[in-house]
Amino acid sequence: MTEPLRVVLADDQTLVRTGFRLILGADGIDVVAEAVNGTEAVEAVRRTRPDVVLMDVRMPEMDGLEATRRILTGAPGVPGAPGVLGATDAPGAPRVIILTTFDLDQYVYAALSAGASGFLLKDVTPEQLTAAIRTVRTGDALLAPAITRRLVWRFTRRGSDAAALHRDLAPLTPRELEVLGLLAQGLSNAELAARLHLAETTVKTHVARILAKLRLRDRVQAVIVAYETGLVSAGTHEAAEQSTGLTGPTPQASSGLGADAQPAALPNHLGR
């Protein structure tokens, strides 16, 4: 029998934690600990070793972004990677989903850069919340075109400073570079398979090899690396949007991120 998912809830509002706990429990997901601030969240992860952490942004003492960094960058006693953008998870390291009422670019980018596997607004439906937890647990990320557009604009504004990381892409084969470039434009595995005339299982293999070679946690980090290294530019992304007709998020292709997004609607292709 498959063991239930184990989740830590970090939010300073009692009603929010209670509501999420009831929603998750009804879907067979165990809440193994609760925290009212970032310090407690880090300690709860150290103590319980959960599969997923639902992390609020604004909390007293230590905010959710700093707590996420500490959990995922190898703070003493906490499982995690030695680097924020690009190191391999230690066995048992949790995935972090940022949950907030604040739909602001700075939170989206900071959360993803801190190593979070996703970013959701608190008005998600119960079905969307539980689906998000199961998605990140399998190693996928809550990555939708809306998020990708926000990253494009962030790096466009930063100009020449965008390539701060300069990660070496030399280990990738030409095909893997092609897959990474398309992945960075927000394509799902199914869309990648159709574009490259490959089986979806083959695409999944390419994506897994890219993550392994570049020591990345998930697809979100892969998108960030693609823009930071200059593999993909804002112009490339805009051209792809025009060719596919993807000029703005739809109810099925939005993650609740950005001023133009439909609130709390997750993309249908999550986890595929």
mmCIF file of all heavy atoms in Angstrom, residues 6-29:
data_model
loop_
_atom_site.group_PDB
_atom_site.id
_atom_site.type_symbol
_atom_site.label_atom_id
_atom_site.label_comp_id
_atom_site.label_asym_id
_atom_site.label_seq_id
_atom_site.Cartn_x
_atom_site.Cartn_y
_atom_site.Cartn_z
ATOM 1 N N ARG A 6 3.171 13.335 2.913
ATOM 2 C CA ARG A 6 3.363 14.000 4.201
ATOM 3 C C ARG A 6 3.679 15.469 3.952
ATOM 4 O O ARG A 6 4.618 15.794 3.220
ATOM 5 C CB ARG A 6 4.468 13.309 4.989
ATOM 6 C CG ARG A 6 4.199 11.807 5.154
ATOM 7 C CD ARG A 6 5.365 11.069 5.778
ATOM 8 N NE ARG A 6 5.458 11.330 7.218
ATOM 9 C CZ ARG A 6 6.396 12.059 7.790
ATOM 10 N NH1 ARG A 6 7.330 12.648 7.041
ATOM 11 N NH2 ARG A 6 6.410 12.230 9.100
ATOM 12 N N VAL A 7 2.908 16.362 4.581
ATOM 13 C CA VAL A 7 3.012 17.787 4.287
ATOM 14 C C VAL A 7 3.204 18.588 5.577
ATOM 15 O O VAL A 7 2.611 18.273 6.613
ATOM 16 C CB VAL A 7 1.734 18.281 3.567
ATOM 17 C CG1 VAL A 7 1.733 19.800 3.406
ATOM 18 C CG2 VAL A 7 1.613 17.607 2.199
ATOM 19 N N VAL A 8 4.036 19.624 5.494
ATOM 20 C CA VAL A 8 4.156 20.616 6.557
ATOM 21 C C VAL A 8 3.447 21.882 6.097
ATOM 22 O O VAL A 8 3.674 22.358 4.978
ATOM 23 C CB VAL A 8 5.625 20.928 6.893
ATOM 24 C CG1 VAL A 8 5.739 22.208 7.725
ATOM 25 C CG2 VAL A 8 6.262 19.766 7.642
ATOM 26 N N LEU A 9 2.576 22.435 6.956
ATOM 27 C CA LEU A 9 1.867 23.682 6.663
ATOM 28 C C LEU A 9 2.531 24.828 7.420
ATOM 29 O O LEU A 9 2.686 24.759 8.640
ATOM 30 C CB LEU A 9 0.412 23.588 7.114
ATOM 31 C CG LEU A 9 -0.569 22.758 6.280
ATOM 32 C CD1 LEU A 9 -1.934 22.746 6.961
ATOM 33 C CD2 LEU A 9 -0.683 23.334 4.883
ATOM 34 N N ALA A 10 2.917 25.872 6.707
ATOM 35 C CA ALA A 10 3.517 27.043 7.350
ATOM 36 C C ALA A 10 2.722 28.281 6.986
ATOM 37 O O ALA A 10 2.779 28.758 5.843
ATOM 38 C CB ALA A 10 4.970 27.190 6.933
ATOM 39 N N ASP A 11 1.960 28.803 7.942
ATOM 40 C CA ASP A 11 1.156 30.005 7.732
ATOM 41 C C ASP A 11 0.824 30.573 9.099
ATOM 42 O O ASP A 11 0.511 29.833 10.029
ATOM 43 C CB ASP A 11 -0.133 29.667 6.962
ATOM 44 C CG ASP A 11 -0.816 30.907 6.406
ATOM 45 O OD1 ASP A 11 -1.295 31.728 7.219
ATOM 46 O OD2 ASP A 11 -0.879 31.049 5.183
ATOM 47 N N ASP A 12 0.886 31.896 9.234
ATOM 48 C CA ASP A 12 0.645 32.492 10.541
ATOM 49 C C ASP A 12 -0.836 32.660 10.865
ATOM 50 O O ASP A 12 -1.187 33.089 11.966
ATOM 51 C CB ASP A 12 1.372 33.833 10.678
ATOM 52 C CG ASP A 12 0.915 34.853 9.643
ATOM 53 O OD1 ASP A 12 0.354 34.439 8.609
ATOM 54 O OD2 ASP A 12 1.133 36.059 9.869
ATOM 55 N N GLN A 13 -1.727 32.307 9.935
ATOM 56 C CA GLN A 13 -3.163 32.420 10.183
ATOM 57 C C GLN A 13 -3.762 31.060 10.518
ATOM 58 O O GLN A 13 -3.712 30.128 9.717
ATOM 59 C CB GLN A 13 -3.863 33.005 8.950
ATOM 60 C CG GLN A 13 -3.414 34.413 8.595
ATOM 61 C CD GLN A 13 -4.179 34.975 7.414
ATOM 62 O OE1 GLN A 13 -5.389 34.812 7.321
ATOM 63 N NE2 GLN A 13 -3.469 35.625 6.505
ATOM 64 N N THR A 14 -4.335 30.975 11.707
ATOM 65 C CA THR A 14 -4.885 29.704 12.178
ATOM 66 C C THR A 14 -5.990 29.184 11.257
ATOM 67 O O THR A 14 -6.048 27.987 10.954
ATOM 68 C CB THR A 14 -5.453 29.860 13.599
ATOM 69 O OG1 THR A 14 -4.410 30.313 14.464
ATOM 70 C CG2 THR A 14 -5.990 28.533 14.117
ATOM 71 N N LEU A 15 -6.863 30.062 10.807
ATOM 72 C CA LEU A 15 -7.962 29.637 9.945
ATOM 73 C C LEU A 15 -7.463 29.067 8.620
ATOM 74 O O LEU A 15 -8.025 28.100 8.089
ATOM 75 C CB LEU A 15 -8.922 30.804 9.691
ATOM 76 C CG LEU A 15 -9.821 31.209 10.859
ATOM 77 C CD1 LEU A 15 -10.667 32.426 10.476
ATOM 78 C CD2 LEU A 15 -10.716 30.054 11.290
ATOM 79 N N VAL A 16 -6.406 29.669 8.073
ATOM 80 C CA VAL A 16 -5.841 29.171 6.820
ATOM 81 C C VAL A 16 -5.279 27.771 7.027
ATOM 82 O O VAL A 16 -5.544 26.855 6.235
ATOM 83 C CB VAL A 16 -4.743 30.122 6.301
ATOM 84 C CG1 VAL A 16 -4.011 29.483 5.110
ATOM 85 C CG2 VAL A 16 -5.349 31.452 5.883
ATOM 86 N N ARG A 17 -4.519 27.590 8.095
ATOM 87 C CA ARG A 17 -3.939 26.269 8.357
ATOM 88 C C ARG A 17 -5.031 25.227 8.590
ATOM 89 O O ARG A 17 -4.942 24.098 8.093
ATOM 90 C CB ARG A 17 -3.001 26.322 9.570
ATOM 91 C CG ARG A 17 -1.777 27.203 9.386
ATOM 92 C CD ARG A 17 -0.712 26.888 10.449
ATOM 93 N NE ARG A 17 -1.251 26.824 11.799
ATOM 94 C CZ ARG A 17 -1.431 27.872 12.588
ATOM 95 N NH1 ARG A 17 -1.133 29.087 12.144
ATOM 96 N NH2 ARG A 17 -1.915 27.721 13.816
ATOM 97 N N THR A 18 -6.051 25.614 9.330
ATOM 98 C CA THR A 18 -7.146 24.673 9.596
ATOM 99 C C THR A 18 -7.849 24.270 8.307
ATOM 100 O O THR A 18 -8.126 23.082 8.075
ATOM 101 C CB THR A 18 -8.166 25.301 10.568
ATOM 102 O OG1 THR A 18 -7.512 25.628 11.797
ATOM 103 C CG2 THR A 18 -9.313 24.340 10.834
ATOM 104 N N GLY A 19 -8.129 25.246 7.457
ATOM 105 C CA GLY A 19 -8.794 24.951 6.193
ATOM 106 C C GLY A 19 -7.967 24.044 5.306
ATOM 107 O O GLY A 19 -8.482 23.063 4.735
ATOM 108 N N PHE A 20 -6.678 24.345 5.182
ATOM 109 C CA PHE A 20 -5.808 23.510 4.353
ATOM 110 C C PHE A 20 -5.680 22.103 4.928
ATOM 111 O O PHE A 20 -5.662 21.119 4.180
ATOM 112 C CB PHE A 20 -4.422 24.142 4.228
ATOM 113 C CG PHE A 20 -4.380 25.316 3.291
ATOM 114 C CD1 PHE A 20 -3.362 26.264 3.387
ATOM 115 C CD2 PHE A 20 -5.337 25.492 2.309
ATOM 116 C CE1 PHE A 20 -3.307 27.342 2.524
ATOM 117 C CE2 PHE A 20 -5.295 26.566 1.444
ATOM 118 C CZ PHE A 20 -4.274 27.496 1.551
ATOM 119 N N ARG A 21 -5.587 22.005 6.251
ATOM 120 C CA ARG A 21 -5.461 20.684 6.868
ATOM 121 C C ARG A 21 -6.685 19.826 6.577
ATOM 122 O O ARG A 21 -6.573 18.637 6.267
ATOM 123 C CB ARG A 21 -5.257 20.825 8.377
ATOM 124 C CG ARG A 21 -5.009 19.475 9.072
ATOM 125 C CD ARG A 21 -4.673 19.633 10.545
ATOM 126 N NE ARG A 21 -5.793 20.178 11.300
ATOM 127 C CZ ARG A 21 -5.839 21.395 11.817
ATOM 128 N NH1 ARG A 21 -4.816 22.229 11.660
ATOM 129 N NH2 ARG A 21 -6.900 21.794 12.503
ATOM 130 N N LEU A 22 -7.873 20.416 6.648
ATOM 131 C CA LEU A 22 -9.102 19.679 6.355
ATOM 132 C C LEU A 22 -9.161 19.256 4.892
ATOM 133 O O LEU A 22 -9.563 18.136 4.569
ATOM 134 C CB LEU A 22 -10.322 20.538 6.712
ATOM 135 C CG LEU A 22 -10.541 20.813 8.203
ATOM 136 C CD1 LEU A 22 -11.676 21.808 8.397
ATOM 137 C CD2 LEU A 22 -10.825 19.515 8.952
ATOM 138 N N ILE A 23 -8.770 20.165 3.999
ATOM 139 C CA ILE A 23 -8.774 19.853 2.565
ATOM 140 C C ILE A 23 -7.824 18.704 2.265
ATOM 141 O O ILE A 23 -8.168 17.744 1.551
ATOM 142 C CB ILE A 23 -8.380 21.094 1.745
ATOM 143 C CG1 ILE A 23 -9.490 22.148 1.803
ATOM 144 C CG2 ILE A 23 -8.076 20.712 0.295
ATOM 145 C CD1 ILE A 23 -9.085 23.488 1.227
ATOM 146 N N LEU A 24 -6.622 18.777 2.798
ATOM 147 C CA LEU A 24 -5.616 17.755 2.512
ATOM 148 C C LEU A 24 -6.006 16.419 3.147
ATOM 149 O O LEU A 24 -5.855 15.358 2.525
ATOM 150 C CB LEU A 24 -4.245 18.207 3.012
ATOM 151 C CG LEU A 24 -3.706 19.502 2.391
ATOM 152 C CD1 LEU A 24 -2.311 19.807 2.907
ATOM 153 C CD2 LEU A 24 -3.699 19.415 0.874
ATOM 154 N N GLY A 25 -6.518 16.472 4.380
ATOM 155 C CA GLY A 25 -6.912 15.239 5.043
ATOM 156 C C GLY A 25 -8.022 14.514 4.306
ATOM 157 O O GLY A 25 -8.029 13.283 4.223
ATOM 158 N N ALA A 26 -8.930 15.277 3.727
ATOM 159 C CA ALA A 26 -10.035 14.674 2.981
ATOM 160 C C ALA A 26 -9.554 13.976 1.718
ATOM 161 O O ALA A 26 -10.247 13.103 1.186
ATOM 162 C CB ALA A 26 -11.068 15.746 2.618
ATOM 163 N N ASP A 27 -8.365 14.348 1.255
ATOM 164 C CA ASP A 27 -7.807 13.744 0.044
ATOM 165 C C ASP A 27 -6.714 12.731 0.371
ATOM 166 O O ASP A 27 -5.960 12.319 -0.501
ATOM 167 C CB ASP A 27 -7.241 14.836 -0.872
ATOM 168 C CG ASP A 27 -7.156 14.389 -2.314
ATOM 169 O OD1 ASP A 27 -8.208 14.200 -2.963
ATOM 170 O OD2 ASP A 27 -6.036 14.200 -2.807
ATOM 171 N N GLY A 28 -6.609 12.346 1.628
ATOM 172 C CA GLY A 28 -5.640 11.327 2.005
ATOM 173 C C GLY A 28 -4.220 11.825 2.142
ATOM 174 O O GLY A 28 -3.276 11.028 2.108
ATOM 175 N N ILE A 29 -4.034 13.124 2.316
ATOM 176 C CA ILE A 29 -2.702 13.709 2.485
ATOM 177 C C ILE A 29 -2.515 14.077 3.950
ATOM 178 O O ILE A 29 -3.335 14.792 4.533
ATOM 179 C CB ILE A 29 -2.530 14.957 1.595
ATOM 180 C CG1 ILE A 29 -2.659 14.561 0.117
ATOM 181 C CG2 ILE A 29 -1.181 15.633 1.853
ATOM 182 C CD1 ILE A 29 -2.659 15.749 -0.837
#
